[in-house]
Amino acid sequence: MPAEVIERKLTAYSAHVVLTRLQRIGLFVGLALLAGVAVLRPMLVLQVIVALVTLCYGAAIAFRVALVYAAGRGEHRVRISDEDARAVPDAELPVYTVLVPAYREPSVIGALMAHLSALEYPRDKLEVILLLEPDDTETIEAARAALTGEHLRILVVPESMPKTKPKACNVGLAEATGEFVTIYDAEDIPDPLQLRRAVVALRRLGPDYVCLQAELGYFNTDQNRITRWFALEYATWFRSLLPGLVALGMPVPLGGTSNHFRTRELRELGAWDPYNVTEDADLGIRLARSGFRVGVLESVTLEEANSDFINWIKQRSRWYKGYLMTWLVHLRSPRATFKQLGWRGLLCLNLFVGGTPLAALLNAVLWATTLLWFLAQPAVMEQIFIPPFYYVGVFCLVFGNATVIYLNVLSVRSMDRPDLLGTALLSPLYWAMMSLASAKAAWQLVFKPSYWEKTTHGLHLPTPAPAASDVD
Amino acid sequence: MSTDTLVARRRPTLTEHRAVLLACGIVYLAVALWFWHNQVIPSDSTSRLANAYYTLFSRDPHLAAVGFVWNPLPSMILLPFLPLKVLLPALTQQSLLAPLVSAAFMTATVGIVHDLLRRMTLTRTPRLILTAAFALNPMTVLYAGNGMSEACFLLFLLLTTRALYQWLTVRKVESLVPAGLAVALAYGARYEALAPVVALPVVVALVTWLSGGDQRRLALARVDAVIAGLPGVLAVVLWAVASKIIVDQWFATFSSEYGNSAQVSSGSTGISSVTGDDLGGRLAYWSQQWLGIAPLLLVLLVLAAILAWRTRNPGILAPVTILGSVLAFDALAFLTGMSFGWLRFQITLIPLGVLLAGHVLATWRPLGTARAAVTLTLAALAVPSTLYTLTQPDLAREESEYVTAAGSARRSNLFHVDAQVAADLDAMNLPDGAILADAAVAYGVILASDHPHDYVTTPDRDFPGAVTDPRGHNIRYLLLSADAPTDAVRTGRYGPDAASVPTTGVRTWSDAYGNLQWTLIAA
């Protein structure tokens, strides 16, 4: 099945257009109405906005706590022991395709080969497809020089728009021969038994489960404060929030790599949306809409945590933009979404997928408001914040922030990294970075929706000496 | 073990648990109704209810009206039930809501004690006997039914104790979360919880540090201490900051003219006439109270400590840390002359004794019938002993006010006077904000009134202005207490000397013994 055919299946949910015509009209009419009422009763409009924002914000925090609580009650990750993973005879293992999209990353190819060769999986059942772009001759050359083994091949993605990671993955998927397929980024260090664990787990869980998300962690956690925050965030995400979604029977937005699929179902579903900049999260929602289930696999893939401030902002703003896109895409036909996902799915879509970037954006506004109040105490604010919502707002400000810091301290303990205590207590500074990224994301969503902020990798590597060269 | 056997094993204790809750619920409800029917609900209960009432039904309803002198949870918890006064006016006008809620809290507390004894692996008979020794102790029964904050405080202390016990015995870090949250809520109920707020993380850190083997044990101890301590510290800080922002005092209970310290100093002569005013006298008084409600606690403590050491079972640390730290705090406050030395400040002795006995039974091996009987007797002796102590007006100065005939007559008489004042003022058909009264003394009148909006009172944001310039604030009358030292309306007009209050105002009200209680004067 060629990539175009696969992609055609998701036309209705593609982020090619961010807002459908109906959504545009709705937005326009809504804004016009709001402006109209604002002229007549400006205070009322402000009060209603503050009330709605406060309630949504409070709901998003409550949702987060509910997820952590649900995750803490019982085991919601799939655990396959080393013995069980190794117990399957080679002959009974299916062909497994590993897609590795890469762009302008010649320096990490060498490491990639080492990490892939560490995978405990029979070579005759393994198919690794390195997906490279035609204009990226450096990486292509580096890959050609380093490539060893029959099971590895390079696929240069034909030039076509959009030139994105999901696009490349779709091209790879079209040629995949495996019964199962997964994606690793070029700098990833997967648990060597991960493929075997995924096979055993998916066979045990049965056909309802078409995807397993492995846990992502970082190999450079201790590089600086940003990487420590990032590692803490990931630990919360993969050990509390995603298992919480599983526990509550909600859709699971997938993470960028190490998601293991049944190939046939993935193709039927239309695979990745090449226009969505978080195609992984979107795919998680679409899996749920099709009635499939996603599990969280207890097996870690180590990635490179973004250690540079600017680079971090770029990456995070892309994620946030993607989450917002995904949210809008799946609200195109709310009734269908509700029918397919039920109220639980709708809660997740609004409070988690839409809620994560919006909360990050609102944080900045709300903190600024709080600061303004303490500095100037403008009388108009007393009018805008009417009592019940004012109290909810204060509650969110105080207990919301405290709760999230507290959850981070808990993550420190469950990661068994007590040295990260200070990092957890300093999380508010990390949230400020998130706010910045979300503002950039919102701006881009409007003006450059499909623009893919490429994350630079290899920042953990020592700077090469000028005379040395990566590629001979 | 299959799930079936688990269910089969759990069911009898579940049924037993429900039976315990039901029985206590019924008994405590009856006691609550008795307090209400005889109108002997303590004034502190009424005043906490009034604090909640102001936030919704005063002339100037706002959340901060709950006040900052007393920790807010016992009042806040009443808020959702206040609107029910439309259906049942007695809930607020006769303070019925306060005892109903304290009965519910104490029922839940008994449930926690029972559950904790089950977790200590006690078999049915000793478990039920010890649960009863707590539930039917006269102090427990009284404070279940009288609407005071003791029940709420005990519930959160025992929730903390249970979670800490769970952590000490199973050592899953998740148990520290409910421990931390519960101790924070305990601080919401009573400032004495400052002691366990500090003691909990300290003990947790010590235990983690002592049981860790590697060089990371200090770091682990630090994280565990933060998990156990953060909510409590946050509760203390937030309450202080909110208090500072709204009434410009960090800890109003210690610094306000209505607070504990002020009350203790103004009542110091009265206090020391009973308790003695030197350390020796206070120590003797305090020991009498202690021995009165928990005569053999020290024996149990020593026995439990020896057994804990021998069996290397750290569970005993939970009740000793949490309940013991509250006792220590209250003892210290009293011995240094900073507290009234009420008997109720020793109420944590009751669950402490029961849990120590539970620990002894769980760890004494071999546990023959004789040993079990001795232990249970040691714990159960507290019941008759407390009963005797409550009838001693010297030791149980507050409690004897409602368990003795003379005391309850005095209390219900004051209740009647307040209701009469409210009815008479209602009949005057005054406009909103016509009467100026200090909430610290007039809470009973305002609660009983059908027109609470008639009153300009302490939590109202224009109250300070109205005290200095009543006419400028459209006040027509001032309602003055006869001699309460904290009545800002009276002292604002006549100074601190109670004798200067006019005995002939627009109206006066006296109690059944002919003592002047209230004077209404024109502004």
Side-chain angles (χ1 to χ4, degrees), chain A residues 72 374 382 391 398-399 402 405-406 409-410 412-414 416-419 421 425, chain B residues 62-64 173 176-177 208 216 219-220 222-224 226-227 230-231 234 238 245:
Chain A
F374 277 104
E382 274 189 55
Y391 293 128
V398 175
F399 291 96
I405 293 177
Y406 193 60
V409 177
L410 283 178
V412 162
R413 194 65 167 88
S414 66
D416 200 26
R417 283 291 309 265
D419 55 301
L421 177 63
L425 295 175
Chain B
H62 60 293
L63 190 59
V173 71
L176 290 179
V177 178
T208 302
R216 294 188 321 144
L220 285 169
R222 222 168 40 193
V223 175
D224 285 353
V226 170
I227 294 174
L230 195 61
L234 197 72
L238 281 181
I245 291 174

Side-chain angles (χ1 to χ4, degrees), chain A residues 98-111:
Chain A
V98 176
L99 301 176
V100 186
Y103 188 57
R104 300 206 190 281
E105 297 175 84
S107 59
V108 293
I109 293 293

Side-chain angles (χ1 to χ4, degrees), chain A residues 216-275:
Chain A
L216 302 181
Y218 292 120
F219 53 73
N220 61 331
T221 302
D222 293 310
Q223 196 180 336
N224 60 26
R225 184 70 74 183
I226 296 181
T227 58
R228 282 189 213 111
W229 273 324
F230 214 156
L232 197 55
E233 184 189 13
Y234 256 34
T236 312
W237 188 267
F238 287 100
R239 293 180 186 182
S240 296
L241 301 182
L242 295 192
L245 288 172
V246 172
L248 297 177
M250 293 179 171
V252 178
L254 303 177
T257 87
S258 308
N259 16 54
H260 300 262
F261 300 94
R262 295 180 194 275
T263 312
R264 193 162 55 92
E265 282 80 357
L266 181 60
R267 284 190 182 130
E268 290 301 322
L269 213 67
W272 296 277
D273 176 2
Y275 292 95

Side-chain angles (χ1 to χ4, degrees), chain A residues 94-336:
Chain A
V95 174
Y96 216 119
T97 302
V98 176
L99 301 176
V100 186
Y103 188 57
R104 300 206 190 281
E105 297 175 84
S107 59
V108 293
I109 293 293
L112 170 68
M113 293 303 149
H115 301 144
L116 290 178
S117 66
L119 287 174
E120 282 188 37
Y121 209 83
R123 292 300 175 254
D124 57 327
K125 295 279 179 77
L126 188 61
E127 176 189 47
V128 179
I129 306 179
L130 200 53
L131 300 160
L132 303 174
E133 300 291 335
D135 61 342
D136 182 15
T137 46
E138 264 187 307
T139 316
I140 296 176
E141 277 171 30
R144 284 204 176 120
L147 223 56
T148 49
E150 293 259 315
H151 61 290
L152 291 157
R153 66 182 173 114
I154 295 171
L155 179 59
V156 178
V157 179
E159 190 77 55
S160 75
M161 290 317 269
K163 209 168 82 179
T164 57
K165 173 179 162 186
K167 173 77 189 185
C169 289
N170 286 344
V171 172
L173 181 68
E175 302 215 356
T177 57
E179 182 186 333
F180 296 119
V181 59
T182 189
I183 302 182
Y184 291 128
D185 278 348
E187 88 283 5
D188 283 0
I189 310 177
D191 155 29
L193 280 174
Q194 195 173 91
L195 301 185
R196 281 180 165 269
R197 287 193 223 276
V199 169
V200 175
L202 281 168
R203 282 183 176 167
R204 267 189 207 167
L205 292 167
D208 274 0
Y209 283 80
V210 297
C211 174
L212 286 175
Q213 171 70 55
E215 185 182 335
L216 302 181
Y218 292 120
F219 53 73
N220 61 331
T221 302
D222 293 310
Q223 196 180 336
N224 60 26
R225 184 70 74 183
I226 296 181
T227 58
R228 282 189 213 111
W229 273 324
F230 214 156
L232 197 55
E233 184 189 13
Y234 256 34
T236 312
W237 188 267
F238 287 100
R239 293 180 186 182
S240 296
L241 301 182
L242 295 192
L245 288 172
V246 172
L248 297 177
M250 293 179 171
V252 178
L254 303 177
T257 87
S258 308
N259 16 54
H260 300 262
F261 300 94
R262 295 180 194 275
T263 312
R264 193 162 55 92
E265 282 80 357
L266 181 60
R267 284 190 182 130
E268 290 301 322
L269 213 67
W272 296 277
D273 176 2
Y275 292 95
N276 193 315
V277 296
T278 49
E279 74 295 343
D280 35 26
D282 168 67
L283 182 53
I285 307 293
R286 274 193 287 124
L287 284 166
R289 294 188 69 157
S290 309
F292 291 122
R293 302 177 73 177
V294 175
V296 177
L297 182 65
E298 204 176 276
S299 164
V300 180
T301 299
L302 294 176
E303 296 189 288
E304 181 196 349
N306 213 323
S307 56
D308 176 70
F309 178 74
I310 299 293
N311 206 25
W312 185 94
I313 295 281
K314 281 186 181 175
Q315 184 188 43
R316 186 52 57 107
S317 66
R318 171 168 69 76
W319 291 358
Y320 281 164
K321 183 171 73 174
Y323 266 56
L324 288 172
M325 270 182 175
T326 306
W327 180 53
L328 291 172
V329 161
H330 292 283
L331 285 183
R332 278 177 191 175
S333 42
R335 208 180 312 166

Side-chain angles (χ1 to χ4, degrees), chain B residues 59-377:
Chain B
R59 200 177 117 268
D60 177 19
H62 60 293
L63 190 59
V66 81
F68 290 87
V69 172
W70 308 113
N71 292 20
L73 202 61
S75 297
M76 298 273 201
I77 277 172
L78 303 176
L79 288 180
F81 305 103
L82 285 178
L84 295 175
K85 80 182 177 91
V86 180
L87 302 174
L88 191 59
L91 282 179
T92 54
Q93 292 197 326
Q94 299 173 20
S95 301
L96 173 60
L97 183 59
L100 288 183
V101 169
S102 72
F105 274 129
M106 200 59 97
T107 306
T109 310
V110 174
I112 303 297
V113 169
H114 178 253
D115 183 57
L116 195 44
L117 293 169
R118 181 185 66 78
R119 286 174 197 228
M120 286 178 168
T121 66
L122 259 57
T123 52
R124 172 183 277 212
T125 310
R127 185 169 65 213
L128 284 177
I129 291 175
L130 287 181
T131 305
F134 171 70
L136 299 179
N137 185 295
M139 277 294 271
T140 312
V141 176
L142 273 187
Y143 283 89
N146 70 5
M148 299 276 283
S149 57
E150 261 66 18
C152 174
F153 186 44
L154 275 185
L155 173 63
F156 292 124
L157 287 179
L158 279 152
L159 280 169
T160 315
T161 307
R162 181 173 73 172
L164 180 59
Y165 180 85
Q166 190 70 11
W167 180 75
L168 286 166
T169 47
V170 186
R171 294 301 292 279
K172 278 184 80 177
V173 71
E174 287 84 354
S175 311
L176 290 179
V177 178
L181 294 178
V183 84
L185 290 170
Y187 182 74
R190 291 279 286 269
Y191 68 86
E192 287 105 307
L194 268 177
V197 161
V198 175
L200 173 69
V202 169
V203 167
V204 164
L206 273 177
V207 170
T208 302
W209 188 71
L210 288 173
S211 52
D214 52 13
Q215 74 274 35
R216 294 188 321 144
R217 63 187 192 158
L218 185 66
L220 285 169
R222 222 168 40 193
V223 175
D224 285 353
V226 170
I227 294 174
L230 195 61
V233 170
L234 197 72
V236 175
V237 171
L238 281 181
W239 183 237
V241 169
S243 176
K244 178 70 184 165
I245 291 174
I246 296 169
V247 297
D248 199 29
Q249 289 175 336
W250 292 107
F251 292 96
T253 191
F254 301 112
S255 52
S256 160
E257 66 265 38
Y258 301 111
N260 184 66
S261 309
Q263 288 188 12
V264 170
S265 71
S266 70
S268 62
T269 338
I271 298 173
S272 55
S273 71
V274 187
T275 67
D277 58 358
D278 59 339
L279 185 63
R282 290 205 195 104
L283 201 58
Y285 181 81
W286 181 77
S287 312
Q288 280 178 40
Q289 284 187 329
W290 171 303
L291 290 173
I293 54 178
L296 296 160
L297 187 109
L298 280 179
V299 180
L300 282 170
L301 182 65
V302 172
L303 196 56
I306 294 171
L307 288 166
W309 184 257
R310 287 226 308 243
T311 55
R312 295 285 182 274
N313 184 331
I316 186 186
L317 275 177
V320 171
T321 304
I322 304 305
L323 303 171
S325 64
V326 173
L327 279 171
F329 183 95
D330 278 323
L332 204 67
F334 176 63
L335 294 178
T336 53
M338 298 194 305
S339 121
F340 283 96
W342 302 128
L343 185 65
R344 62 190 164 94
F345 293 161
Q346 315 257 28
I347 199 169
T348 44
L349 282 168
I350 298 162
L352 181 61
V354 163
L355 294 177
L356 287 176
H359 192 267
V360 169
L361 292 175
T363 48
W364 209 355
R365 293 290 174 270
L367 182 71
T369 318
R371 285 177 171 183
V374 168
T375 312
L376 290 171
T377 310

Side-chain angles (χ1 to χ4, degrees), chain B residues 323-496:
Chain B
L323 303 171
S325 64
V326 173
L327 279 171
F329 183 95
D330 278 323
L332 204 67
F334 176 63
L335 294 178
T336 53
M338 298 194 305
S339 121
F340 283 96
W342 302 128
L343 185 65
R344 62 190 164 94
F345 293 161
Q346 315 257 28
I347 199 169
T348 44
L349 282 168
I350 298 162
L352 181 61
V354 163
L355 294 177
L356 287 176
H359 192 267
V360 169
L361 292 175
T363 48
W364 209 355
R365 293 290 174 270
L367 182 71
T369 318
R371 285 177 171 183
V374 168
T375 312
L376 290 171
T377 310
L378 287 176
L381 271 176
V383 174
S385 167
T386 307
L387 198 57
Y388 171 75
T389 310
L390 284 173
T391 56
Q392 305 299 305
D394 270 4
L395 294 177
R397 285 169 289 150
E398 288 183 303
E399 292 77 6
S400 59
E401 277 295 291
Y402 29 88
V403 294
T404 62
S408 61
R410 272 195 299 275
R411 176 71 200 126
S412 72
N413 185 234
L414 289 180
F415 214 86
H416 279 294
V417 176
D418 282 357
Q420 190 58 51
V421 174
D424 291 345
L425 292 176
D426 283 350
M428 290 168 74
N429 284 319
L430 294 166
D432 282 4
I435 308 166
L436 184 65
D438 189 330
V441 287
Y443 50 86
V445 176
I446 300 168
L447 267 184
S449 170
D450 287 332
H451 306 297
H453 288 197
D454 288 0
Y455 300 84
V456 175
T457 184
T458 328
D460 293 356
R461 281 164 282 198
D462 51 0
F463 177 77
V467 171
T468 42
D469 175 20
R471 286 195 189 170
H473 285 76
N474 301 321
I475 303 290
R476 293 196 194 172
Y477 300 104
L478 309 186
L479 182 63
L480 312 176
S481 67
D483 57 2
T486 54
D487 185 345
V489 175
R490 196 194 69 228
T491 52
R493 167 81 50 116
Y494 296 104

